[in-house]
């Protein structure tokens, strides 16, 4: 609406070329026909400038009798920014713009640089995109309020920089009966607390309180970038300050986003941050759970576990900077419950063998990733009686059902005998290993459900950092990512659009180039448990990745 009014005022009082870019071309056409053109026709000072020709008012272009015009089109299409110079430019839904499009649109104002005005409008996008860059060039002002009780000036925030939530609600037997939210009862407890810990000012989600907070107490914070050019102003505000958006809706969105986030799906959290909080999404969003946060644990390294049935050693083999293997030892109970017994970095296959003997693990319960330097890994597996593991993007492989004689689907194949050809011809007949393909997406779902407590017990010792932390000489500046928990949080599940079909689907995606070796080792431990029959039933069940 602000952009519509801006253009209406300029068309009524001036005679300059203008451009209105919204989302994509179809968004622009719909906005022009349903809102923008009807608004212009309703304003006498604008309507009288329309020509008598119906061809001069279309959903893409409006020509006026004073030879001025306004182009209406999509900001997403890079082909839309060639042509005549523009004096007044509005780019709406800038988060949809292809990289470089805002710069191309701005270049259209070159003939009017001393007079032109450019307005960029967007919800939160992705850190580093065109809109983010433009915003950081400006003054970076945030709309907030001054507390009527303590006079602290503060932005409308979901939580403070110290991690305290400003919006709060109660979780008790009334609001959360039987482990499920009663949203109507929960909404009665929602309140916004002043960010000053010494102040007890509370705003409730009522029309009166919301108007006082936003209209009576509303104020802009000092610019975060006070040395920005005086003619480049950037401002942000979020839905917390909008009186007609109930906080109940925002809180429900947050609860659902965190429930999805706990099982690895960060799509809803990304939407919450971008749409509700008007902030940019950063790949690998960790602002609500720190990388090195360790959940509470009920045991320590070395504790005995009487429920143990099988134990496995799995390792992610790395070649860069010299061979080394990031390994995990995990024990499983018969029903699928498990505990990590050790995690660390080993420098050779011989050290893996020594660790196997230390924990008294059978050779066929040791698995190594053979994606890199597969021939040497398979040779080591053949030598020591281990199995080779190879992750795959497939979902399932057919197995023969021993009970019915039919076929069932499992998220790993039945194994393939791989000959390594070592030794003499006679010796070579007995030098082979078994190699198993396994589904990365399926076991990623299983791992995340167990880590989040949504499935079978998945134990990690409270002192896992004692053995897992290591220094990687190839990445000396990334030491904080070489311990267990940061690597376990190195992948996220977000919606990805298929370029051919246009269909969006949640896919597991690695966060940048973060280390993920412990995560890979833990995935392989789950696979081996499935092969051994102690995964706990999920090796047969239909998973989220299959639906």
């Amino acid at each position: 609406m602000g952009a519509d009014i801006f253009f209406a005022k300029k068309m009524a009082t001036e005679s300059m070329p203008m451009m209105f870019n919204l989302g994509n071309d179809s968004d622009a056409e719909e906005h022009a026909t349903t809102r923008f053109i009807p608004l212009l026709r309703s304003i006498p000072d604008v309507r009288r400038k329309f020509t008598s020709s119906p061809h001069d008012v279309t959903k893409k272009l409006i020509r006026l009798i004073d030879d001025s015009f306004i182009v209406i089109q999509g900001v997403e299409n890079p082909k839309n920014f060639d042509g005549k110079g523009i004096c007044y430019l509005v780019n709406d839904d800038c988060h949809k713009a292809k990289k470089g499009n805002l710069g191309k649109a701005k270049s259209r104002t070159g003939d009017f640089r001393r007079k032109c005005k450019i307005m960029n409008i967007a919800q939160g996008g992705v850190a580093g995109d065109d809109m983010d860059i433009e915003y950081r060039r400006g003054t970076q002002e945030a709309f907030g309020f001054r507390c009527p009780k303590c006079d602290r000036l503060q932005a409308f925030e979901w939580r403070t920089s110290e991690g305290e939530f400003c919006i709060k609600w109660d979780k008790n037997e009334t609001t959360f009966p039987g482990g499920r939210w009663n949203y109507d009862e929960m909404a009665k407890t929602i309140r916004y607390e002043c960010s000053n810990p010494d102040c007890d000012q509370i705003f409730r989600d009522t029309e009166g309180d919301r108007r006082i907070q936003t209209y009576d107490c509303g104020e802009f914070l000092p610019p975060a970038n006070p040395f920005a050019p005086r003619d480049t102003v950037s401002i942000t505000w979020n839905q917390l300050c909008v009186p007609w958006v109930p906080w109940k809706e925002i809180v429900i969105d947050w609860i659902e986003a965190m429930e999805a986030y706990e099982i690895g799906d960060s799509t809803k959290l990304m939407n919450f941050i971008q749409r509700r909080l008007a902030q940019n999404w950063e790949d690998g969003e960790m602002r609500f759970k720190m990388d090195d946060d360790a959940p509470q644990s009920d045991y320590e390294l070395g504790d005995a576990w009487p429920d143990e049935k099988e134990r496995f050693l799995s390792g992610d083999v790395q070649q860069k900077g010299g061979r080394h293997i990031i390994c995990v030892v995990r024990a499983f109970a018969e029903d699928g419950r498990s505990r990590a017994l050790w995690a660390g970095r080993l420098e050779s296959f011989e050290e893996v063998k020594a660790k196997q003997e230390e924990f008294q693990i059978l050779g066929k319960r040791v698995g190594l990733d053979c994606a890199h330097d597969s021939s040497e890994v398979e040779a080591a597996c053949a030598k020591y009686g281990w199995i080779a593991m190879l992750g795959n993007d497939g979902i399932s492989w057919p197995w023969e059902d021993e009970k019915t004689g039919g076929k069932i689907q499992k998220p790993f194949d039945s194994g393939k005998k791989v000959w390594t050809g070592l030794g003499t011809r006679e010796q070579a007949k007995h030098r082979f290993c078994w190699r198993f393909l396994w589904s990365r997406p399926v076991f990623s779902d299983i791992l995340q459900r167990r880590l989040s407590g949504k499935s079978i017990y998945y134990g990690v010792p409270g002192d896992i950092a004692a053995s897992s932390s290591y220094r990687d000489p190839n990445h000396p500046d990334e030491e904080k990512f070489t311990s267990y928990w940061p690597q376990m949080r190195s992948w996220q599940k977000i919606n990805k659009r298929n370029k051919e079909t246009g269909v969006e689907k949640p896919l597991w995606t690695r966060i940048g180039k973060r280390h993920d070796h412990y995560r890979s080792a833990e995935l392989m431990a789950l696979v081996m448990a499935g092969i051994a029959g102690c995964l706990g039933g999920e090796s047969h069940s239909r998973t989220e990745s299959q639906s």
Side-chain angles (χ1 to χ4, degrees):
M1 181 60 71
D4 293 344
I5 298 299
F6 171 78
F7 279 123
K9 179 179 179 180
K10 294 301 180 183
M11 294 172 77
T13 59
E14 299 185 33
S15 300
M16 289 291 178
M18 295 170 251
M19 178 179 287
F20 193 4
N21 299 318
L22 304 93
N24 53 46
D25 289 334
S26 60
D27 291 341
E29 292 178 5
E30 180 182 3
H31 184 83
T33 54
T34 61
R35 286 181 51 180
F36 188 50
I37 294 176
L39 172 68
L40 298 180
R41 290 189 183 280
S42 70
I43 302 173
D45 287 344
V46 178
R47 186 173 63 247
R48 69 171 55 101
K49 285 192 171 185
F50 282 15
T51 71
S52 58
S53 172
H55 301 295
D56 285 341
V57 180
T58 71
K59 53 190 176 183
K60 294 183 178 180
L61 177 66
I62 300 175
R63 293 188 180 91
L64 304 180
I65 58 176
D66 57 8
D67 292 329
S68 65
F69 63 86
I70 180 169
V71 177
I72 309 165
Q73 60 189 10
V75 72
E76 182 185 46
N77 190 348
K79 299 180 181 179
N80 285 340
F81 307 112
D82 299 325
K84 296 181 179 180
I86 296 297
C87 184
Y88 298 122
L89 169 67
V90 172
N91 299 309
D92 202 352
D93 286 338
C94 292
H95 57 283
K96 297 182 180 179
K98 294 287 192 300
K99 191 172 182 61
N101 279 12
L102 296 188
K104 292 180 180 178
K106 183 178 180 179
S107 66
R108 293 287 299 274
T109 64
D111 295 339
F112 300 89
R113 288 307 301 156
R114 293 188 179 276
K115 182 176 177 60
C116 74
K117 283 185 172 61
I118 302 172
M119 184 188 302
N120 296 317
I121 307 171
Q123 64 173 50
V126 177
D129 65 10
D130 282 5
M131 185 61 181
D132 184 31
I133 293 172
E134 291 294 329
Y135 177 80
R136 294 181 186 281
R137 285 174 178 166
T139 53
Q140 299 180 38
E141 301 174 46
F143 180 64
F145 67 97
R146 191 174 291 279
C147 177
K149 190 167 187 177
C150 70
D151 202 41
R152 170 180 280 197
L153 179 60
Q154 56 201 282
F156 284 90
E157 296 177 306
W158 184 247
R159 73 174 193 174
T160 66
S161 57
E162 292 80 22
E164 288 294 321
F165 284 85
C166 296
I167 293 266
K168 295 185 178 180
W169 59 94
D170 293 343
K171 186 176 183 179
N172 51 43
E173 293 181 358
T174 302
T175 63
F176 196 66
R180 298 184 63 183
W181 285 104
N182 182 327
Y183 287 125
D184 289 334
E185 292 298 324
M186 179 272 292
K188 297 176 183 178
T189 70
I190 297 175
R191 67 272 184 192
Y192 191 110
E193 298 183 356
C194 174
S195 63
N196 183 356
D198 299 323
C199 178
D200 59 1
Q201 174 66 40
I202 292 177
F203 296 94
R204 296 287 179 178
D205 192 12
T206 65
E207 183 178 357
D209 275 14
R210 297 288 300 279
R211 291 182 68 86
I212 289 173
Q213 186 185 26
T214 298
Y215 295 125
D216 298 348
C217 302
E219 187 174 334
F220 282 96
L221 276 68
N225 183 17
F227 300 112
R230 294 178 59 188
D231 59 356
T232 307
V233 178
S234 56
I235 301 171
T236 184
W237 64 92
N238 57 48
Q239 290 192 358
L240 299 178
C241 73
V242 184
W244 56 86
V245 176
W247 284 339
K248 174 184 175 181
E249 293 181 5
I250 300 176
V251 171
I252 291 174
D253 273 3
W254 166 256
I255 291 173
E256 293 179 347
M258 291 310 296
E259 287 177 348
Y261 182 67
E262 286 178 355
I263 61 173
D265 186 351
S266 56
T267 302
K268 288 186 178 181
L269 178 58
M270 179 170 65
N271 287 335
F272 183 89
I273 289 172
Q274 292 177 328
R275 297 175 183 272
R276 294 295 194 184
L277 302 187
Q279 297 175 2
N280 288 321
W281 172 260
E282 297 183 26
D283 194 22
E285 186 63 56
M286 289 292 176
R287 64 183 74 171
F288 299 112
K289 182 179 287 187
M290 299 304 293
D291 284 335
D292 53 359
D293 278 353
Q296 288 187 346
S297 177
D298 56 355
Y299 73 104
E300 301 289 324
L301 289 168
D303 288 357
W305 191 35
D307 295 341
E308 177 182 340
K309 177 188 177 183
E310 297 272 8
R311 60 176 56 176
F312 303 88
L313 190 160
S314 52
D316 187 26
V317 182
Q318 297 297 304
Q319 303 297 337
K320 187 175 181 180
R323 180 182 296 121
H324 57 279
I325 306 101
I326 308 301
C327 297
V328 169
V329 175
R330 179 165 288 275
F332 282 78
E334 188 170 3
D335 59 4
R337 290 174 297 126
S338 67
R339 279 187 170 189
L341 306 183
W342 177 85
R345 170 174 167 151
L346 301 175
E347 302 300 329
S348 66
F349 296 131
E350 290 71 26
E351 288 191 13
V352 175
K353 177 63 175 176
K355 187 62 65 173
Q356 171 197 345
E357 294 174 349
E358 176 187 343
F359 280 90
Q360 300 180 351
I361 301 172
L362 297 174
K364 61 182 179 180
R365 298 295 187 248
V366 178
L368 298 183
D369 172 50
C370 63
H372 305 291
D373 206 3
S374 57
S375 60
E376 291 194 30
V377 175
E378 290 164 356
C381 289
K383 179 179 179 180
Y384 295 116
W386 304 333
I387 63 174
M389 313 286 290
L390 188 60
N392 189 279
D393 289 332
I395 299 299
S396 61
W397 289 263
W399 280 63
E400 184 176 336
D401 190 338
E402 296 178 357
K403 296 181 180 180
T404 66
K407 294 291 185 181
I408 59 174
Q409 298 292 317
K410 294 186 180 182
F412 45 82
D413 72 357
S414 55
K416 178 182 178 182
K417 187 179 290 187
V418 178
W419 296 92
T420 61
L422 294 178
T424 65
R425 179 174 298 180
E426 184 63 26
Q427 290 173 330
K429 294 180 181 179
H430 306 286
R431 292 298 179 91
F432 66 86
C433 71
W434 285 94
R435 183 183 67 199
F436 287 86
L437 296 178
W438 56 276
S439 172
R440 280 188 293 257
V442 171
F443 278 98
S444 292
D445 286 344
I446 294 173
L447 174 64
Q448 193 61 42
R449 283 197 296 269
R450 296 193 178 192
L451 276 174
S452 64
K454 304 294 184 181
S455 180
I456 300 171
Y457 170 74
Y458 193 84
V460 178
D463 55 348
I464 188 71
S467 66
S468 68
S469 299
Y470 62 88
R471 188 175 187 278
D472 189 340
N474 299 301
H475 304 280
D477 298 328
E478 300 178 8
E479 190 167 348
K480 67 177 182 178
F481 293 129
T482 59
S483 60
Y484 184 86
W485 283 113
Q487 293 194 20
M488 293 297 286
R489 297 170 179 144
S490 59
W491 284 63
Q492 62 184 358
K493 201 173 188 182
I494 59 176
N495 278 349
K496 292 285 187 178
R497 186 183 299 276
N498 187 300
K499 294 182 179 179
E500 297 181 358
T501 65
V503 176
E504 284 193 350
K505 182 179 180 180
L507 297 175
W508 283 100
T509 307
R510 187 177 176 184
I511 300 170
K513 297 181 179 180
R514 285 179 54 163
H515 300 262
D516 62 348
H517 313 307
Y518 283 120
R519 182 179 184 275
S520 296
E522 289 283 27
L523 287 171
M524 288 185 286
L526 290 173
V527 177
M528 289 192 289
I531 296 171
C534 56
L535 185 61
E538 287 183 287
S539 59
H540 296 265
S541 62
R542 188 172 180 83
T543 70
E544 295 170 7
S545 294
Q546 294 169 281
S547 59

